[in-house]
Amino acid sequence: MAVSTTSIVRVGLGYDIHRLTEGRRLILGGVEIPFGRGLLGHSDGDVLLHAVADAMLGAAGLPDIGETFPDTDPAYRNANSRYLLARVVEIVRRQGFHVANADVTVHAEAPNLSAHKQSMTESIARVLGVDRQTVSVKAKSSEGLGPVGAGDAIACTAVVALRARTDDNASSDQ
Ligand code: MG
């Protein structure tokens, strides 16, 4: 007999930072953004999706993405981070959770991300399999301070709430 778990909500925090470098495409939230430089990383360096994935794993009490997708594993070299996040969605789903909402802040001195917030929001919601109203993407500069302010890096902070699936929402889950 199913036990009601309606009241269980778990919150996780994710953070990531990657160095900006010449000769890479800039991918944020699964969206390619026109810019002269991109983020260095074993995968595509998508700090948004990495921070969201870590927040989800943290909420579920699971090992972080560094442990789940080791950078010593050639399978993840230049990996599309949408694929990595989709794997995390599947992992937490198997633990009985689904995403209630995600709140994301990107820290970037340049480029200006205002025009891209909407497409990043839609892209993240698509990978998470949730309504876009449950995803929020905010962008902030660092007022010239630190490595982000100097334009050497882009960072991201994300909070994700997971809700335990009940028979009701499990059957309506796509
Ligand atoms: Mg990362």
Side-chain angles (χ1 to χ4, degrees), residues 10-154:
R10 305 261 301 245
V11 174
L13 171 68
Y15 171 78
D16 199 19
I17 183 167
H18 280 248
R19 184 183 294 277
L20 274 167
T21 186
E22 307 282 341
R24 300 264 298 182
R25 297 183 304 149
L26 179 60
I27 313 286
L28 291 174
V31 175
E32 181 166 356
I33 292 172
F35 192 50
R37 293 177 295 158
L39 295 171
L40 193 61
H42 187 71
S43 67
D44 58 14
D46 191 329
V47 285
L48 265 81
L49 299 192
H50 296 176
V52 169
D54 255 345
M56 291 177 66
L57 290 167
L62 296 168
D64 63 30
I65 51 169
E67 227 176 293
T68 304
F69 309 110
D71 64 8
T72 49
D73 187 336
Y76 303 120
R77 174 170 287 278
N78 296 318
N80 181 327
S81 295
R82 277 180 301 184
Y83 164 76
L84 301 181
L85 182 58
R87 287 279 309 276
V88 170
V89 170
E90 188 52 41
I91 289 167
V92 303
R93 182 172 291 173
R94 271 191 260 122
Q95 297 290 313
F97 292 106
H98 71 131
V99 173
N101 78 296
D103 189 16
V104 181
T105 299
V106 196
H107 311 267
E109 207 66 12
N112 186 314
L113 297 173
S114 306
H116 304 285
K117 285 191 286 190
Q118 178 105 345
S119 50
M120 291 189 287
T121 301
E122 286 166 6
S123 163
I124 293 169
R126 230 176 0 254
V127 180
L128 295 179
V130 298
D131 192 283
R132 69 186 221 190
Q133 312 301 332
T134 65
V135 177
S136 156
V137 174
K138 309 182 295 302
K140 294 186 76 69
S141 84
S142 284
E143 303 287 338
L145 298 168
V148 171
D152 293 333
I154 291 179

